[in-house]
Amino acid sequence: MKDETPARAKSAEPQPEPHLDTSGDSDEPAFSWLNPAGKGSGPAAGSSASPAAPSPADSPAAASSTAGGGSAVNGPIQPESRADRKAAEAAAEAPGEDSSPVFKEPLPTSALQVRPPEEEVERRNAQRESAANAKPVAPRVMQVLLAVFFPLVLLILAVRAVTSPLFLWVEYNRPGFPGDGYGFSTDDRMTYGSYAVDYLSNWSGPRYLGDLVHRSGDKLFKDGEVSHMADVKLVILSTFGAGVLLVLFSIVAILYLRKRSTGGVRRGLFAGSIVTLVIILGLGTLAVLGWQQFFTEFHRIFFADGSWTFSLDDTLIRLFPGQFWIDAGMVIAGLVLLASLVTLVLTWPTRRRRGLAKDVAAPAAVEE
């Protein structure tokens, strides 16, 4: 036990670091950090030094100062680790930025730190603000088309409602409707009138009406009447075909506005209902002030002169007297007027429909 204690005490004492001899190291730059600071960092410095010249580290003063204080007074402190030595040499040998012969590539983003002229900045800001506040053109075009198509679609639908056997039955059986002075009963009118109305909406030729005969065997419709009904059929079918296209375009506009423009459908239908009311009120005023003139001018637009005038004993006049067209015009105007008023009420721009209820409630919540 007594012999082991001194041995442990001796082994606990710190051992001096071994002296590294760097004279035989390679001259490669990777080992330049092994050379002492006083001898230079490259192979040229080592070769130019005289082997007989004593170094400052070999002098007695340097040795005494190193042994006494642990550091050299006139020389730099030698780092203990390899990383520290390399960092110290890099800091000591780094030349100034202005005197460095090495070309340095500027950073790619260095130009972004250069502020353009104030006029250019204001111009760009104005363009960004204008682009942010500008509204797309396509939704506006769709709203205008929807507003234009709306009264036409309503008018065509109302005409289709009038050209039906149901309207004929209501007209022939309503009180006050004038009777036929040439012998047609209500049943005869309903039968022959249904043939005429069906001909307007089917794909049959003129023989559909030209081959009809009275009980006596005579032709029911004269050639002039059949020719006029063929012209009416062409106008009616063209109108119904245009109505189908307008309905399809309106559906496309509605679907587009629902996705691209908030409230665009409502604004388009609201404008269309106003346009419809203006048109119906204007045409109704003209019809009331002069129905015969209005009826004549309407026929001149679609038919040639002389092709739509008949005598009182012709079948078309006996089936569709003047009162029939007055009632038909009133029904068309009433249906269109009713549909436009309902649309106007449903699309009226209230604060809730315009989305202003939330905008008003938000400041109130902030104030509370």
Side-chain angles (χ1 to χ4, degrees), residues 2-25:
K2 293 180 180 181
D3 296 336
E4 294 177 357
T5 302
R8 292 180 179 178
K10 291 180 180 181
S11 62
E13 294 179 3
Q15 298 294 331
E17 295 182 0
H19 179 70
L20 299 176
D21 185 8
T22 62
S23 59
D25 292 342

Side-chain angles (χ1 to χ4, degrees), residues 8 38 52 55 59 64 264:
R8 292 180 179 178
S55 63
S59 62
S64 62

Side-chain angles (χ1 to χ4, degrees), residues 332-351:
I332 292 174
L335 292 176
V336 175
L337 185 64
L338 179 61
S340 60
L341 287 177
V342 171
T343 306
L344 185 69
V345 172
L346 294 178
T347 58
W348 189 270
T350 61
R351 298 183 66 87

Side-chain angles (χ1 to χ4, degrees), residues 43-69:
S47 62
S48 62
S50 176
S55 63
D58 297 336
S59 62
S64 62
S65 61
T66 303

Side-chain angles (χ1 to χ4, degrees), residues 106-193:
L107 294 176
T109 59
S110 60
L112 298 178
Q113 300 179 2
V114 180
R115 183 175 178 84
E118 192 66 26
E119 295 79 4
E120 182 68 15
V121 174
E122 293 179 358
R123 184 182 66 82
R124 293 179 182 179
N125 292 336
Q127 289 181 351
R128 280 194 293 268
E129 185 177 357
S130 176
N133 296 332
K135 295 183 178 180
V137 179
R140 289 179 173 270
V141 173
M142 288 297 180
Q143 290 181 22
V144 173
L145 292 179
L146 185 60
V148 173
F149 293 163
F150 183 73
L152 298 177
V153 170
L154 289 184
L155 184 61
I156 294 173
L157 292 177
V159 172
R160 184 64 185 91
V162 168
T163 56
S164 63
L166 177 62
F167 180 74
L168 284 181
W169 185 88
V170 173
E171 275 293 291
Y172 292 151
N173 291 276
R174 77 169 181 85
F177 189 79
D180 178 36
Y182 296 93
F184 278 167
S185 63
T186 302
D187 186 58
D188 293 336
R189 277 183 163 181
M190 189 66 200
T191 302
Y192 301 147

